[in-house]
Amino acid sequence: LNLNMDRLASNRNFTNKIWNAGKFVLFSLSGMADDDKLKLVEEAEAIGTMDEEAIRTTLPLPSAWIVGKLRSTTDHVTAAHDRFDFGEAGRAAYAFFYDDFADWFIEASKARLYGDDEEEKRLTKAVSLHVLDQTLRLLHPFVPYVTEEVWRSTPHRGETLMLQKWPTLNAPVDSTSIAQFELLQSIVRSIRNARQEYAVEPARRVPATIVVADDANRDALALELAVVASLARLDLDSETCVSSNPPAEALTNPASFVQQVVADGVEVYLPLAGIVDPAKETARLEKQAAKLEKEIGGLAGRLSSPKFVEKAPEEVVRKSEAELAELRERLPPPPPPP
């Protein structure tokens, strides 16, 4: 028996993720009376019958996205089961739960669950309960004991998960909501990359201007600015906004902004003053320059050696010359004399 300890650890982490997602949903329902929880179960079931228009007009963007992804995943997992491709069925269910539901939707839902709008809170709770319930059904053939325990711990109808109906197939999906939330994800990733590149402290909130050319996408993202701020650690008390135009200062002094191109017609502007500590940035650039100079010196020394040029294949020499030119382009210019 080839017992892979890494896979055991991965599966342990996954079951722990299922447990934590169940705890999150239960925590969001704390304080509700039993009768109110039963009503929430009915509302969660009603979400499963929504058509495309109802999804678009009733649900906030993150909720519309996760419902659409759930329905697409249900069709994918079922098709894999039907052709006895159980590996693909498990991978698809795993990816949806781990990446879409646990990592993105639960984090995005916190902006509304911890907000002041009671109606949005309740709708988000109903969506969370619906998606958790349906996902546990998809995962039950692979993780029966954990899914059964989590399902019984949440508000539900019936005695046992294994006797519940399989999720509905070929349910309508609002592709517009999915595309718009995927754009939101790309914006968040872009801001996170910039934060990492400039070594911004994880807890520090930074200002940002999100420029979106398309009117419909801009309006959708403006409604979800609190979600973007929560996921990307943006400062909503500063000039953070969704706009059709870049900040005026970015046009007159572009060097004072970090500009991230997210997609065609979508850009993010982060003011350097909001994300960079001048002393730390100087030290970072000096360290980066020293590393590049070391790589340039090694490559230039190799190319200046007659033995290397004569004996190495022409393709290797050309590749080394191209790498050297690229490294020299990346090397920042020396600071001006005082």
Side-chain angles (χ1 to χ4, degrees):
L1 177 64
N2 183 14
L3 184 61
N4 188 317
M5 299 304 295
D6 289 338
R7 292 189 65 182
L8 281 179
S10 176
N11 291 333
R12 177 203 61 200
N13 294 340
F14 180 60
T15 53
N16 190 56
K17 197 84 166 178
I18 296 173
W19 195 261
N20 287 336
K23 285 173 60 179
F24 174 82
V25 173
L26 277 175
F27 180 77
S28 72
L29 307 182
S30 59
M32 295 179 65
D34 289 343
D35 289 344
D36 205 18
K37 289 180 181 179
L38 288 177
K39 290 180 182 177
L40 192 70
V41 171
E42 294 176 0
E43 294 168 19
E45 291 172 345
I47 290 170
T49 64
M50 282 184 174
D51 59 19
E52 188 175 344
E53 183 179 356
I55 291 173
R56 186 184 307 115
T57 58
T58 306
L59 301 182
L61 183 61
S63 296
W65 169 77
I66 197 64
V67 169
K69 293 289 286 184
L70 169 66
R71 293 177 174 184
S72 299
T73 302
T74 296
D75 292 343
H76 185 103
V77 170
T78 306
H81 276 301
D82 289 344
R83 62 177 184 268
F84 304 105
D85 189 352
F86 303 121
E88 176 59 23
R91 282 189 292 272
Y94 174 101
F96 170 77
F97 185 87
Y98 214 112
D99 300 330
D100 296 333
F101 182 60
D103 283 359
W104 279 99
F105 176 72
I106 284 181
E107 293 304 315
S109 70
K110 291 177 181 178
R112 286 183 166 85
L113 287 175
Y114 302 153
D116 299 325
D117 191 318
E118 294 300 324
E119 185 177 346
E120 284 196 341
K121 278 186 185 180
R122 187 173 183 89
L123 187 55
T124 302
K125 291 175 184 178
V127 171
S128 300
L129 185 59
H130 166 69
V131 177
L132 177 64
D133 173 89
Q134 299 293 295
T135 310
L136 290 175
R137 301 184 192 203
L138 294 178
L139 289 170
H140 190 62
F142 305 100
V143 202
Y145 300 108
V146 174
T147 51
E148 182 74 47
E149 186 68 23
V150 172
W151 183 83
R152 291 190 184 192
S153 300
T154 58
H156 60 270
R157 294 182 192 271
E159 297 298 323
T160 175
L161 175 58
M162 64 182 172
L163 295 180
Q164 299 305 302
K165 291 183 179 179
W166 188 252
T168 303
L169 299 178
N170 301 317
V173 173
D174 180 22
S175 56
T176 300
S177 296
I178 290 179
Q180 288 176 338
F181 191 83
E182 287 176 349
L183 178 59
L184 182 151
Q185 289 176 301
S186 297
I187 290 170
V188 170
R189 291 189 187 102
S190 178
I191 296 172
R192 287 174 175 175
N193 289 341
R195 292 177 64 104
Q196 183 177 10
E197 181 180 352
Y198 287 89
V200 180
E201 297 88 344
R204 183 178 180 182
R205 292 189 175 272
V206 300
T209 300
I210 302 167
V211 179
V212 184
D214 181 79
D215 292 341
N217 288 340
R218 185 170 61 252
D219 292 343
L221 290 169
L223 291 174
E224 302 302 326
L225 186 57
V227 172
V228 177
S230 175
L231 295 173
R233 305 293 295 172
L234 298 182
D235 185 2
L236 287 176
D237 295 329
S238 62
E239 62 266 29
T240 296
C241 65
V242 178
S243 175
S244 57
N245 298 303
E249 188 181 351
L251 301 177
T252 58
N253 187 16
S256 63
F257 282 80
V258 175
Q259 180 184 359
Q260 300 282 99
V261 178
V262 179
D264 187 23
V266 182
E267 298 175 342
V268 176
Y269 290 83
L270 302 167
L272 279 171
I275 67 173
V276 172
D277 181 310
K280 289 183 178 179
E281 181 63 9
T282 300
R284 185 186 73 86
L285 290 175
E286 289 176 350
K287 183 178 179 180
Q288 184 183 57
K291 181 180 178 182
L292 286 173
E293 286 173 352
K294 183 177 180 180
E295 293 179 6
I296 289 171
L299 202 53
R302 190 190 312 166
L303 287 169
S304 64
S305 169
K307 290 184 178 180
F308 174 78
V309 176
E310 293 172 4
K311 294 183 178 181
E314 184 179 351
E315 182 182 346
V316 173
V317 174
R318 285 202 306 268
K319 183 179 178 181
S320 298
E321 290 173 342
E323 288 179 1
L324 180 60
E326 182 182 350
L327 288 172
R328 282 173 172 163
E329 286 181 4
R330 289 167 53 191
L331 188 67

